[in-house]
Amino acid sequence: MDLLYEKCAQRAAGTIFFQRDLQNMQVAETLGELTMLVGQLCAQHLLKLMTFDSEMCWKLRTRSEADKLRRLNPDERLLYHHIDQAQNEGIWSKALRARTNVTQQLLTKCLKSLESKDLVQSVMSVKFPNRKMYLLKDLRPSEDIAGGPWQSEGDFDAALIDTISGVVARYIESETCIKVPGNWNDYTPMDRAQAIAQKKAQVQGVRDIEDSLAVQPYKPPVDPTAVRVVHRNNPQYPTAGTVASWLNAKEILKDKHVRDDDMEQLLEMMVLDGRLEKISGATYRTVLMASDTKTFNGFVDAPCGNCPVFDLCGEGAISARTCVYFGEWLATESEVI
Amino acid sequence: MSYVQRETPILADLCTSLVEDHVGELAARIFSVLARLGRQTLAAIARASYLSARQIRNGLSVLLQHNLVFHSPVGAPLVHYEIDWHYSYALVRQGSIAKFVEERFDKRASNVVANLLSLGPTRIGDLKEAYFPAHDADSDDESDDGTANGSPLKKAKTNGVNGISTKTNGDVNGDSHTDHHATNGATELGAQRKHPADDIPAEHVNGEPVAQDEGVIASEKQLLDIVQLLMREGWLMEADQTQFLSPGDLHAMVQETVIEEEHHGIAPTGTKAKDDMVRSILRRKRKIRDGWLTVPATLSSRKRQAPDSGHDRSTKRLKTNGGNEWSANTSNGASSQRETSPEDDIPIRVNPEKVAVAMRSAQLVHLVEQRLGLVTAQVYQTILWQLERDLPRCFEEWPDPPLPLKPGEEPNVEPPWVDPESLITARDIAKNLDRHLDVCAGLDPHTIVKITGKGHVRGNVLTEPVDPYGLSLDEKTRVVDAHIHLLSEDPFHFVSWHSRAGTISRWRVEFDEISKALIQYEIENTVLARQKGLGVKLIRALKKKGRLDERGACNAMMMSANDIRGTINDLTVQGMIQTQEVPKVDRREAKHSLHLIWYDRQRAREKLLHDTYKGMLRIIQRIAFEREKVQVLISKAERSDVVGNEEKWLSQSDLDELKKWREVQEKLFLQLTREDELVATLRDFIGPLVSA
Ligand code: SF4
């Protein structure tokens, strides 16, 4: 029996064994003996019986896990069984009670003990925020209850979202924008217009006012290191789909797959954030600001636009005459009362 | 444009302050009575104001002269007076109007406009008189024009430099006009130029320095040219009695006419007939209004080769072919006996709606500059200025209601008819673009290579640099086209593709849509300044998704409820968003209720508009307070013996204090103008919005 267990344990964790796999291990002499051995292992919770396509199959449990399971009381074991069946979808505590017919008290007690034994975990469902879902400890909650790659513990993972949106923003910028150095077009202002005008004047024998006005244009000095970011000519605007496959290919998110929907959620959020803008139905690009000085508008840039006592201000003690904010802003004295 | 002139106490206070600043205290007192009580008769004003009948009459005539109040139709048994809120508020814009006109035309035109603003509606003849008094200088002061226009005319003489300078320049003109004409051509062309260096060649075109100040109107002929041009472009309009009618009176009058003429004097009762009447009324109102803006025949026929064929206008010159006529005119210029001309009797005034169009252009250009860069912004400005000529106002205040649908009929989704004149092509723009603009800047270098076909791009640098001033018109057109594409791809959709004629794309500007986006943009800006990013994010989420509960908001913003609750609260308190509790069970328990948050753009718009009025009022109050503090000093500095000799009479600390006051005043006025820009965006670019 131990031999069979050891042989199975040599395989990668989580492997599923069918009968023929076990037979091929050549531990048992006869099929009957094998069946008996498997039965013993199951009884000790070292193997877990499952079915796949109505064929029996088994999965190995660790010795410590089996140990814990052996120590469960029958109620706990029953609940464990049902939770196990729900797999990573999890099962709602109410549903669990309906299925097992145990009393609420017992249920609570058993679940507590299971949790304390590190066998099951509870997760708040994202779909139904007031439902507590139970699933086995070693399983990752499905997206239905845990809410996609951006959430953990039922809540948005701010740090993760921050990192990934930064990565995505950089990617989209490189796709849709181009960095142009200050000296990109280092022309010598050759006065062609003037040349043409002169020629024209010679031919026509008259001076056209407009042409003669072509004075040497003023060429501002450029700083070759001053890089300007401009929108690309004819870019392939990314969609949620393209960004998702790019991100998945980069494998930045460990063992998480980002579906197109997830990516769309993230990109839409970034649009709300003002980092991306939508071009047509489903394509995005980076928001560029050509000037760095940001002013808001006439109202909020003045003291009153941000004033905490705006609604109280008027004729009385708080007024434009006594206003400290104006005093500060203009560096003048206000009336003291 | 008169929409949401909700006569809130704040707006009333604001306008009263403006009136006081611009036309004096007496008028302001009457104004405040009208503001408080609404439509009033003379007798009622007298009762409410403790002023003598004479004072009231004086005050009212000042208000009327500046179009600040309406009065009921002439011939009505009892005359009622009512405030024109729109025009009263517009007092704050007078400086901007003159500035916009100067940008688009020149100093002379802006001088005419500034004078008309301070004079109120004026007959062309009187305007001529103001600029070119027929009498000698000494008989000037107490002249015989003692009619209603007496005082404003005097005003024009004091602030219009022209009255004096023409006399000195009069004879110089006789022989220098050819030079001068050439110079003008140059200055107008360069009107958009920014580089100071350009001015020099313009002044010296013909080798000889031109003595004449650019801002001086040389002759009556020139004055008329300016007036005509400004009227054609919608900056000036004919003054008319109907303009003194309040919206209610005007409506009543038109309705009466319609009933009289189309319904045989009996008010219609049927649904269909009523609908017809509404349409007729609107049609007639539009006709009356558009009538004001038509250039009177006497004025437009005056010039035989008038360049109003539509194409010449784009070259934007005051006188494209006026050279000959002009010399003929100046020879018998200002000194000769004034002949009365037919246009003298036409009263003109500034079109109060036009400035909003210019403000809209300016703001859009500024926004493009922020988003896409200077050069694209210049391209856009060229587009907008070209369109502006045919836009007397920002939006139609009296549109026809949608036609009632016949049963089973689909709502008409056909795109609205677009005047082909208002379509833009890259070529037109390339031609009219300031030729001193580096058109290639702000674009992807690959675009340039594709257009010129020369060299290629290495490390985002052109291997063969291109002189942007040496481009052929074809190349330039394609470069401009690239800028236009940038404009159209931007989420604001600054331009939209309309149609193709041959291989040439034609574009239009959908002002209404852009104006809505601008309103949203300003609301977001306000929130951004107060709450940083989070508030804006919430507002955008709500705008996109409509009503949301907390969970929905969290999902859209990808944040946890705890992080956004504070923001929701703050924005609700500020009136930017609304919350609502919808009970799910009979007992109203907070626990069992749905808490919804939503954002209504129109509501936020009105709230912000109201707050902005308030902000403006506070600034005006602060200006008054700051002035009060240095009043003694100001009066001293303005004494005639001190002016010009400040150093001698004022101490150093006095001078410093005056300097400080001027800075403070300037800062406050600038801020006031900027708040006014916000008011324009929120109020004047588009009518009320029904937000989803
Ligand atoms: S207290 Fe000052 S800043 Fe606040 S509203 Fe009044 S004037 Fe404006």
Side-chain angles (χ1 to χ4, degrees), chain A residues 116-129:
Chain A
S116 68
K117 284 179 183 141
D118 257 356
L119 285 168
V120 301
Q121 55 178 332
S122 63
V123 179
M124 289 312 225
S125 165
V126 168
K127 249 201 202 145
F128 307 99

Side-chain angles (χ1 to χ4, degrees), chain B residues 221-255:
Chain B
K221 174 73 178 53
Q222 201 178 28
L223 176 66
L224 285 179
D225 281 339
I226 292 170
V227 168
Q228 188 192 350
L229 177 82
L230 289 174
M231 284 191 91
R232 203 169 52 221
E233 302 223 345
W235 284 92
L236 301 182
M237 63 186 194
E238 214 178 324
D240 188 82
Q241 275 305 314
T242 42
Q243 286 159 1
F244 281 108
L245 295 180
S246 67
D249 284 337
L250 179 66
H251 187 87
M253 186 192 87
V254 175
Q255 178 159 352

